[in-house]
Amino acid sequence: MLTRPEYNDLTIGIVALQGSFAKHAYSMGRLGIKSRAIRTAADLKLIDALILPGGESTTMTLLLENENLWEPLADALEILPVFGTCAGAILLGNQLEDDRVRCFNKINYTAERNAYGRQVESFSTALVVPYLLDQDFHAIFIRAPKFRDIGDDVQTLAVYGSTPVLMRQGQVLAAAFHPELTEDSGIHKYFVDHIVLKSR
Ligand code: GLN
């Protein structure tokens, strides 16, 4: 996969309290892009974009609050592009009725958690991402959410059956699946090329 000279001075902050944050660092690393683990408010300085990884949205909410990171992260999300995957995509949406999950209201949908069933119902599929990727993307769904009440301001970039699984609203990209768990950095590259670099 081609790297670009513009990648040299980028740093992507990856929220690293819980879940699959390390794999996102590999996905960026394969593109030649630096990343930084975000564990405290101080870590949020001098980054160009954020990733909210998959994991468990209730646990992530608890940890963000306990580490006093929820508010600083909400402030950072006022300006920075963000890519949320699975639990991260849940947190970026509109507030759920379940207040164990505290959402950032950055993309206009409401997540239904575990909408495909339990862990054993996890699956992978060859996902077509029209216009953005030349080849199918091996998409891994683990206790994935579905997104309801999707606003007109949200662009659907890929569907599984008729269900939107990759969505964008302005500088916010959200995937119901785990693009960081495959060797293909194609979706990360889309995020950087079309959202992060365009926002500078
Ligand atoms: N089911 C998890 C949640 O609701 C998300 C699963 C994942 O991130 N793989 O937070």
Side-chain angles (χ1 to χ4, degrees), residues 18-20 53-60 85-91 96 101 111-115 117 119 122 140-145 175-178 180-181:
Q18 192 255 344
S20 63
E56 177 60 45
S57 51
T58 51
T59 311
M60 239 178 250
T85 59
C86 206
I90 296 172
L91 293 184
L96 312 186
V101 180
E112 178 190 345
R113 299 177 56 220
N114 304 323
Q119 188 85 8
S122 297
I140 299 172
F141 290 77
I142 304 169
R143 295 200 306 123
F177 54 94
H178 284 270
E180 77 285 8
L181 295 184

Side-chain angles (χ1 to χ4, degrees), residues 7 10 28 33 188-197:
Y7 290 172
L10 287 180
M28 284 298 174
I33 298 173
H188 288 78
K189 186 168 175 17
Y190 166 78
F191 174 60
V192 173
D193 290 351
H194 294 267
I195 303 182
V196 182
L197 289 174

